[in-house]
Structures are given as C-alpha cells and as structure tokens.
Amino acid sequence: MNITIDEKLDWDKLALDGCVYLKNDYPEIWLNNGVSEPRQNFTLAHELGHIVNDILPDVEKYINPIKDDYDTLYRSGVSPMERKANDFAARLLMPSDFIANEAKKLTESEDFEQITLEDVIKRLASRFRVSYDAMKWRLVNLGYVKKR
C-alpha cells in the first residue's frame, strides 16, 4: 500500500501519539516514538484503521491530517470515526480467538488460583504487547470482565 511510517522527532507533534495524512497521494503515519512500545503498537494499528476506514474508501473527501492523542485513543466519548479506528486496532492486535486461547492457558496454569484479575490483564497485555488499558477495554468489549 506504500504506507510510510515516520518516527522522526517533530516538536510540533509531541502532544500527539500519532497522526495519518496523505503525502504525494500515499498514506503516511507519524508515530511518537517518545511513548511506550505498547502505546506505539496500538497507535500504529489505530492509524491503519483510519487508512482502511476513513481514507481509502473516499480519498477525494479526505481532509489532512487525522491527529490522535491520548483522548482519541483511550478515552470514552470519542467520535464514531475514532471508535471505529480503536475497534480496528483492538481486533488487529488482540484477536478474540487468540485472547480465548491465552485466557485458557492462564486458567490451566499452576498459579491461577493466586492471580488477581489485574494480574490476568497485565499478563495478557504483555503477551499481546499492548497497554494495560487497551487489554482491559478489549476484555470488557468481549464480555470477559465487567466495565467497573
């Protein structure tokens, strides 16, 4: 798809986790490499979601750039466009079948009786290389844990 990923330091974008825009008619993603790897992973997948959902279907109507920060990636109450990009990222990075397999392995582990829900979320987040919050919300959305 000729997508370029730019991780160069850009002082004007440091408040962002990432953004996506067209450059010479091809998508380019800028990632803030100053945030943690799990956050970068989610941001990259989120920006890919914007390309698939928002840019490619109607490139003539696309308005540069789509900027994403902590609020658009992780807070509730975000726009439908951002929710779709978050959902795309969650499904790409944390497929439900793989989560089910990993959860089953955890329940069969010797120390399962001693681990807390927080520990389960941390272990799954580490396994999928995403943040704790990203994994927690994926588990909530899949119905494994309650929202509280």
XYZ file of all heavy atoms in Angstrom, residues 64-138:
618
model
N -6.697 16.241 5.364
C -5.449 16.025 6.109
C -5.405 16.869 7.354
O -5.912 17.983 7.346
C -4.253 16.420 5.245
C -3.706 15.282 4.434
O -3.833 14.140 4.805
N -3.089 15.609 3.326
N -4.668 16.499 8.355
C -4.381 15.144 8.807
C -5.409 14.712 9.827
O -6.188 15.520 10.306
C -3.006 15.303 9.444
C -3.048 16.674 10.057
C -3.910 17.501 9.112
N -5.378 13.448 10.190
C -6.148 12.952 11.335
C -5.139 12.843 12.462
O -4.168 12.101 12.366
C -6.795 11.583 11.055
C -7.803 11.678 9.911
C -7.472 11.052 12.325
C -8.369 10.333 9.465
N -5.335 13.622 13.507
C -4.396 13.662 14.629
C -4.985 12.903 15.806
O -6.154 13.081 16.141
C -4.099 15.104 15.038
C -3.453 15.917 13.939
C -3.239 17.345 14.382
C -2.578 18.147 13.284
N -2.357 19.536 13.696
N -4.147 12.086 16.427
C -4.611 11.286 17.559
C -3.717 11.495 18.768
O -2.497 11.425 18.680
C -4.646 9.806 17.179
C -5.745 9.531 16.162
O -6.902 9.833 16.484
O -5.441 9.039 15.074
N -4.373 11.730 19.898
C -3.665 11.852 21.162
C -4.272 10.871 22.156
O -5.082 10.025 21.787
C -3.710 13.295 21.687
C -5.133 13.816 21.882
O -6.088 13.011 21.899
O -5.287 15.037 22.014
N -3.907 10.981 23.403
C -4.395 10.054 24.420
C -5.923 10.015 24.457
O -6.525 8.959 24.563
C -3.831 10.424 25.793
C -4.223 9.443 26.871
C -3.486 8.275 27.055
C -5.331 9.654 27.675
C -3.849 7.346 28.027
C -5.697 8.736 28.641
C -4.958 7.589 28.817
O -5.324 6.679 29.761
N -6.555 11.182 24.351
C -8.013 11.238 24.444
C -8.693 10.485 23.303
O -9.667 9.769 23.528
C -8.501 12.688 24.469
C -8.189 13.368 25.789
O -8.012 12.659 26.802
O -8.124 14.609 25.814
N -8.216 10.643 22.076
C -8.873 9.964 20.954
C -8.592 8.475 20.958
O -9.378 7.693 20.438
C -8.453 10.553 19.591
O -7.049 10.434 19.429
C -8.880 11.993 19.449
N -7.480 8.065 21.540
C -7.131 6.646 21.546
C -7.727 5.891 22.725
O -8.074 4.722 22.604
C -5.611 6.473 21.559
C -4.895 6.894 20.278
C -3.401 6.998 20.524
C -5.177 5.928 19.164
N -7.822 6.527 23.886
C -8.136 5.767 25.095
C -9.319 6.254 25.914
O -9.713 5.598 26.853
C -6.908 5.736 26.016
C -5.733 5.065 25.366
C -4.679 5.799 24.875
C -5.701 3.681 25.209
C -3.597 5.178 24.258
C -4.628 3.059 24.596
C -3.583 3.809 24.130
O -2.532 3.201 23.513
N -9.883 7.383 25.634
C -10.988 7.892 26.440
C -12.327 7.490 25.833
O -12.452 7.343 24.628
C -10.933 9.421 26.536
C -9.703 9.928 27.245
C -9.867 9.787 28.740
N -8.716 10.400 29.382
C -8.094 9.887 30.401
N -8.478 8.758 30.901
N -7.071 10.492 30.943
N -13.319 7.371 26.693
C -14.664 7.115 26.180
C -15.251 8.442 25.699
O -14.739 9.505 26.008
C -15.530 6.503 27.275
O -15.604 7.379 28.377
N -16.323 8.374 24.963
C -16.960 9.585 24.482
C -16.304 10.157 23.238
O -16.530 11.311 22.912
N -15.487 9.360 22.567
C -14.834 9.841 21.356
C -15.780 9.710 20.166
O -16.802 9.033 20.233
C -13.502 9.105 21.085
C -12.506 9.346 22.209
C -13.713 7.623 20.892
N -15.424 10.332 19.067
C -16.280 10.345 17.873
C -16.424 8.940 17.290
O -15.585 8.065 17.519
C -15.677 11.274 16.827
O -14.532 10.670 16.242
N -17.467 8.721 16.497
C -17.632 7.414 15.846
C -16.438 7.028 14.977
O -16.055 5.860 14.928
C -18.901 7.605 15.000
C -19.666 8.670 15.700
C -18.623 9.596 16.276
N -15.825 8.002 14.302
C -14.651 7.712 13.482
C -13.499 7.170 14.346
O -12.837 6.199 13.972
C -14.197 8.988 12.760
C -12.988 8.790 11.861
S -12.544 10.292 10.959
C -11.598 11.163 12.192
N -13.296 7.773 15.503
C -12.220 7.328 16.396
C -12.555 5.973 17.009
O -11.682 5.132 17.186
C -11.953 8.369 17.487
C -11.413 9.683 16.961
C -10.099 9.550 16.209
O -9.338 8.581 16.438
O -9.815 10.427 15.370
N -13.827 5.755 17.341
C -14.232 4.450 17.879
C -13.974 3.347 16.859
O -13.515 2.263 17.212
C -15.703 4.470 18.298
C -15.907 4.979 19.716
C -17.274 4.627 20.267
N -18.383 5.169 19.497
C -18.839 6.405 19.600
N -18.290 7.238 20.450
N -19.850 6.808 18.852
N -14.274 3.615 15.577
C -14.023 2.622 14.528
C -12.528 2.321 14.402
O -12.135 1.167 14.244
C -14.568 3.110 13.181
C -16.018 2.790 12.960
C -16.524 3.341 11.651
C -16.059 2.526 10.475
N -16.672 2.957 9.207
N -11.697 3.355 14.492
C -10.253 3.140 14.404
C -9.751 2.372 15.622
O -8.894 1.494 15.507
C -9.518 4.478 14.261
N -10.295 2.677 16.798
C -9.930 1.925 18.006
C -10.356 0.466 17.890
O -9.607 -0.443 18.263
C -10.575 2.545 19.250
C -9.834 3.757 19.756
O -8.690 4.005 19.406
N -10.507 4.529 20.586
N -11.550 0.239 17.388
C -12.042 -1.127 17.222
C -11.175 -1.897 16.229
O -10.841 -3.063 16.466
C -13.503 -1.109 16.768
C -14.112 -2.489 16.743
O -14.077 -3.173 17.786
O -14.616 -2.902 15.679
N -10.813 -1.260 15.130
C -9.925 -1.881 14.149
C -8.613 -2.295 14.822
O -8.132 -3.417 14.664
C -9.652 -0.910 12.995
C -8.737 -1.453 11.937
C -9.245 -2.091 10.821
C -7.361 -1.320 12.054
C -8.405 -2.594 9.839
C -6.506 -1.826 11.084
C -7.031 -2.465 9.976
N -8.026 -1.371 15.588
C -6.754 -1.632 16.267
C -6.889 -2.781 17.265
O -6.033 -3.674 17.318
C -6.269 -0.373 16.977
N -7.955 -2.774 18.042
C -8.159 -3.824 19.035
C -8.305 -5.192 18.379
O -7.709 -6.178 18.822
C -9.391 -3.508 19.887
N -9.070 -5.254 17.316
C -9.274 -6.534 16.621
C -7.989 -7.009 15.942
O -7.725 -8.211 15.903
C -10.395 -6.405 15.592
C -11.760 -6.263 16.206
C -12.807 -5.908 15.137
N -14.087 -5.627 15.719
C -15.076 -6.517 15.786
N -14.929 -7.723 15.312
N -16.221 -6.176 16.341
N -7.210 -6.081 15.409
C -5.960 -6.439 14.755
C -4.930 -6.951 15.757
O -4.293 -7.984 15.538
C -5.401 -5.223 13.996
C -4.071 -5.433 13.267
C -4.245 -6.399 12.103
C -3.534 -4.093 12.773
N -4.770 -6.238 16.857
C -3.726 -6.570 17.828
C -4.132 -7.643 18.831
O -3.272 -8.344 19.372
C -3.308 -5.315 18.598
C -2.670 -4.213 17.770
C -2.454 -2.979 18.634
C -1.361 -4.680 17.155
N -5.429 -7.745 19.094
C -5.920 -8.660 20.122
C -7.094 -9.472 19.590
O -8.223 -9.326 20.070
C -6.335 -7.863 21.369
C -5.226 -7.042 21.985
S -5.814 -5.844 23.218
C -6.371 -4.492 22.172
N -6.851 -10.343 18.617
C -7.958 -11.139 18.051
C -8.644 -11.969 19.129
O -7.989 -12.553 19.994
C -7.270 -12.039 17.022
C -5.943 -11.416 16.758
C -5.570 -10.667 18.002
N -9.959 -12.026 19.065
C -10.729 -12.694 20.119
C -10.350 -14.165 20.286
O -10.278 -14.656 21.418
C -12.232 -12.553 19.864
O -12.569 -13.113 18.616
N -10.094 -14.865 19.192
C -9.707 -16.279 19.304
C -8.376 -16.442 20.040
O -8.215 -17.364 20.842
C -9.601 -16.936 17.924
C -10.955 -17.127 17.268
O -11.988 -16.970 17.958
O -10.982 -17.441 16.067
N -7.434 -15.560 19.765
C -6.137 -15.639 20.439
C -6.267 -15.288 21.910
O -5.610 -15.896 22.762
C -5.108 -14.734 19.768
C -4.697 -15.189 18.392
C -4.143 -14.286 17.502
C -4.850 -16.496 17.977
C -3.755 -14.687 16.225
C -4.461 -16.908 16.710
C -3.908 -15.998 15.837
N -7.114 -14.326 22.219
C -7.340 -13.986 23.627
C -7.955 -15.177 24.345
O -7.543 -15.524 25.456
C -8.228 -12.738 23.769
C -7.431 -11.492 23.385
C -8.769 -12.604 25.192
C -8.203 -10.207 23.444
N -8.916 -15.829 23.724
C -9.542 -17.008 24.344
C -8.502 -18.096 24.607
O -8.499 -18.709 25.692
C -10.660 -17.541 23.448
N -7.610 -18.326 23.661
C -6.555 -19.341 23.850
C -5.615 -18.972 24.990
O -5.257 -19.829 25.807
C -5.750 -19.528 22.557
C -6.533 -20.249 21.491
O -7.490 -20.952 21.769
N -6.117 -20.060 20.245
N -5.211 -17.725 25.038
C -4.299 -17.291 26.096
C -4.991 -17.309 27.458
O -4.375 -17.666 28.462
C -3.743 -15.896 25.790
C -2.792 -15.865 24.618
C -1.584 -16.767 24.785
O -0.973 -16.778 25.881
O -1.237 -17.471 23.814
N -6.256 -16.925 27.494
C -7.003 -16.966 28.757
C -7.131 -18.409 29.251
O -6.996 -18.683 30.452
C -8.374 -16.332 28.571
N -7.359 -19.333 28.328
C -7.456 -20.750 28.696
C -6.136 -21.235 29.296
O -6.114 -21.944 30.304
C -7.828 -21.584 27.479
C -8.080 -23.043 27.791
C -8.595 -23.758 26.545
C -9.088 -25.135 26.874
N -8.101 -26.162 26.884
N -5.026 -20.841 28.678
C -3.710 -21.222 29.210
C -3.525 -20.688 30.628
O -2.984 -21.383 31.491
C -2.592 -20.681 28.313
C -2.443 -21.404 26.997
C -1.318 -20.767 26.197
C -1.297 -21.236 24.768
N -0.292 -20.526 23.958
N -3.977 -19.459 30.851
C -3.852 -18.879 32.189
C -4.673 -19.659 33.208
O -4.219 -19.887 34.333
C -4.288 -17.419 32.196
C -3.276 -16.398 31.719
C -3.902 -15.018 31.650
C -2.058 -16.371 32.615
N -5.873 -20.076 32.832
C -6.713 -20.820 33.783
C -6.133 -22.194 34.090
O -6.436 -22.763 35.130
C -8.155 -20.990 33.259
O -8.140 -21.751 32.054
C -8.830 -19.656 33.045
N -5.300 -22.691 33.199
C -4.678 -24.005 33.412
C -3.316 -23.909 34.089
O -2.703 -24.925 34.392
C -4.532 -24.720 32.063
C -5.876 -25.059 31.430
C -5.763 -25.508 29.979
O -4.677 -25.364 29.375
O -6.778 -25.990 29.438
N -2.839 -22.693 34.340
C -1.525 -22.535 34.969
C -1.593 -22.895 36.447
O -2.656 -22.833 37.080
C -1.014 -21.101 34.792
O -1.821 -20.198 35.500
N -0.462 -23.277 36.985
C -0.392 -23.719 38.380
C -0.763 -22.620 39.366
O -1.307 -22.900 40.429
C 1.014 -24.231 38.690
C 1.352 -25.521 37.982
C 2.758 -25.994 38.290
O 3.384 -25.498 39.250
O 3.242 -26.866 37.565
N -0.466 -21.377 39.036
C -0.710 -20.291 39.984
C -2.026 -19.558 39.738
O -2.274 -18.500 40.299
C 0.455 -19.296 39.952
C 0.584 -18.568 38.622
O 0.059 -19.049 37.608
O 1.239 -17.504 38.615
N -2.913 -20.133 38.934
C -4.142 -19.441 38.568
C -4.973 -19.044 39.782
O -5.556 -17.961 39.803
C -4.989 -20.275 37.602
C -6.265 -19.590 37.209
C -6.233 -18.461 36.408
C -7.500 -20.057 37.658
C -7.407 -17.814 36.041
C -8.672 -19.405 37.291
C -8.620 -18.288 36.491
N -5.035 -19.874 40.788
C -5.849 -19.571 41.969
C -5.332 -18.360 42.742
O -6.086 -17.727 43.465
C -5.905 -20.792 42.904
C -6.588 -22.006 42.278
C -8.057 -21.777 41.973
O -8.733 -21.065 42.736
O -8.522 -22.306 40.949
N -4.051 -18.044 42.567
C -3.455 -16.940 43.311
C -3.428 -15.620 42.537
O -3.143 -14.580 43.124
C -2.017 -17.280 43.721
C -1.896 -18.319 44.830
C -2.121 -19.737 44.323
O -1.700 -20.070 43.223
N -2.797 -20.551 45.109
N -3.683 -15.632 41.252
C -3.549 -14.393 40.494
C -4.868 -13.622 40.475
O -5.953 -14.190 40.461
C -3.036 -14.630 39.053
C -3.974 -15.516 38.243
C -1.645 -15.191 39.063
C -3.555 -15.687 36.800
N -4.723 -12.315 40.508
C -5.889 -11.427 40.513
C -6.297 -11.095 39.080
O -5.543 -11.344 38.131
C -5.555 -10.122 41.250
O -4.539 -9.429 40.499
C -5.062 -10.385 42.670
N -7.454 -10.485 38.938
C -7.903 -10.034 37.634
C -6.901 -9.034 37.049
O -6.588 -9.073 35.859
C -9.293 -9.403 37.728
C -9.845 -8.797 36.446
C -9.918 -9.848 35.334
C -11.202 -8.169 36.701
N -6.392 -8.166 37.899
C -5.383 -7.195 37.448
C -4.153 -7.915 36.889
O -3.609 -7.526 35.858
C -4.983 -6.276 38.607
C -4.017 -5.191 38.183
C -3.698 -4.222 39.311
O -4.421 -4.194 40.324
O -2.710 -3.488 39.158
N -3.728 -8.987 37.559
C -2.594 -9.778 37.068
C -2.896 -10.430 35.717
O -2.046 -10.478 34.833
C -2.207 -10.873 38.070
C -1.613 -10.329 39.345
O -0.989 -9.247 39.307
O -1.786 -10.987 40.396
N -4.113 -10.921 35.566
C -4.518 -11.546 34.302
C -4.435 -10.513 33.176
O -3.874 -10.780 32.103
C -5.943 -12.133 34.402
C -6.469 -12.520 33.027
C -5.958 -13.334 35.334
N -4.973 -9.320 33.434
C -4.945 -8.269 32.415
C -3.501 -7.889 32.096
O -3.138 -7.736 30.915
C -5.772 -7.051 32.861
C -7.249 -7.446 33.002
C -5.611 -5.891 31.876
C -8.124 -6.389 33.665
N -2.668 -7.763 33.115
C -1.254 -7.418 32.889
C -0.549 -8.493 32.059
O 0.220 -8.176 31.150
C -0.523 -7.240 34.221
C -0.829 -5.949 34.922
C -0.073 -5.870 36.240
C -0.434 -4.613 37.004
N 0.222 -4.548 38.313
N -0.795 -9.747 32.382
C -0.147 -10.837 31.638
C -0.606 -10.866 30.182
O 0.195 -11.065 29.270
C -0.423 -12.179 32.299
C 0.303 -12.367 33.611
C 0.026 -13.723 34.202
N 0.558 -13.828 35.544
C 0.623 -14.958 36.218
N 0.184 -16.086 35.689
N 1.119 -14.981 37.438
N -1.897 -10.688 29.971
C -2.407 -10.681 28.600
C -1.888 -9.462 27.837
O -1.521 -9.568 26.660
C -3.933 -10.715 28.589
C -4.571 -12.037 29.018
C -6.088 -11.886 29.150
C -4.230 -13.158 28.048
N -1.842 -8.317 28.498
C -1.317 -7.111 27.850
C 0.132 -7.321 27.429
O 0.529 -6.967 26.312
C -1.436 -5.909 28.785
N 0.912 -7.923 28.303
C 2.308 -8.207 27.980
C 2.420 -9.183 26.815
O 3.226 -8.996 25.904
C 3.019 -8.775 29.215
O 4.326 -9.147 28.900
N 1.600 -10.215 26.835
C 1.629 -11.232 25.779
C 1.290 -10.635 24.417
O 1.878 -10.983 23.409
C 0.630 -12.346 26.130
C 0.441 -13.389 25.065
C 1.663 -14.286 24.952
N 1.428 -15.335 23.996
C 1.823 -15.289 22.725
N 2.474 -14.265 22.275
N 1.563 -16.299 21.919
N 0.324 -9.700 24.387
C -0.109 -9.098 23.129
C 0.613 -7.789 22.815
O 0.334 -7.153 21.809
C -1.627 -8.885 23.145
C -2.399 -10.163 22.994
C -2.695 -10.948 24.098
C -2.805 -10.602 21.742
C -3.400 -12.139 23.965
C -3.511 -11.792 21.593
C -3.796 -12.564 22.704
N 1.514 -7.379 23.718
C 2.331 -6.172 23.536
C 1.480 -4.920 23.361
O 1.705 -4.102 22.478
C 3.302 -6.360 22.385
C 4.270 -7.503 22.671
C 5.122 -7.850 21.518
N 6.034 -6.730 21.231
C 6.840 -6.723 20.197
N 6.881 -7.740 19.380
N 7.631 -5.696 19.989
N 0.465 -4.826 24.208
C -0.401 -3.647 24.247
C -0.418 -3.123 25.680
O 0.058 -3.787 26.604
C -1.843 -3.965 23.771
C -1.848 -4.396 22.310
C -2.507 -5.008 24.646
N -0.991 -1.958 25.868
C -1.061 -1.385 27.210
C -2.110 -2.118 28.053
O -2.993 -2.796 27.528
C -1.420 0.101 27.132
O -2.764 0.253 26.709
N -1.987 -1.941 29.340
C -2.960 -2.490 30.285
C -4.364 -2.008 29.928
O -5.309 -2.794 29.876
C -2.572 -2.074 31.712
C -3.548 -2.523 32.763
C -3.394 -3.757 33.388
C -4.618 -1.722 33.145
C -4.294 -4.178 34.365
C -5.517 -2.129 34.108
C -5.353 -3.361 34.716
O -6.249 -3.773 35.674
N -4.503 -0.688 29.687
C -5.820 -0.132 29.371
C -6.392 -0.703 28.083
O -7.589 -0.996 28.010
C -5.749 1.396 29.262
C -5.651 2.073 30.617
O -5.963 1.426 31.631
O -5.276 3.250 30.656
N -5.556 -0.861 27.058
C -6.048 -1.428 25.798
C -6.568 -2.846 26.021
O -7.639 -3.207 25.518
C -4.947 -1.415 24.739
N -5.830 -3.641 26.782
C -6.266 -5.016 27.043
C -7.516 -5.036 27.905
O -8.447 -5.803 27.647
C -5.148 -5.828 27.703
C -5.537 -7.274 27.993
S -6.128 -8.220 26.558
C -4.652 -8.359 25.589
N -7.555 -4.183 28.915
C -8.731 -4.133 29.794
C -9.986 -3.834 28.970
O -10.991 -4.533 29.098
C -8.551 -3.080 30.880
C -9.763 -2.925 31.791
C -9.602 -1.803 32.789
C -9.798 -0.499 32.072
N -9.763 0.683 32.898
N -9.924 -2.837 28.097
C -11.099 -2.483 27.306
C -11.454 -3.562 26.295
O -12.627 -3.789 26.015
C -10.917 -1.115 26.634
C -11.116 -0.035 27.640
C -10.168 0.801 28.149
C -12.334 0.283 28.319
N -10.723 1.629 29.098
C -12.055 1.322 29.214
C -13.625 -0.221 28.252
C -13.032 1.885 30.034
C -14.596 0.340 29.069
C -14.286 1.381 29.949
N -10.447 -4.250 25.772
C -10.749 -5.348 24.848
C -11.493 -6.451 25.592
O -12.462 -7.019 25.091
C -9.456 -5.877 24.219
C -9.666 -6.988 23.210
C -10.393 -6.498 21.981
N -10.388 -7.533 20.945
C -11.404 -7.778 20.138
N -12.492 -7.039 20.197
N -11.331 -8.721 19.242
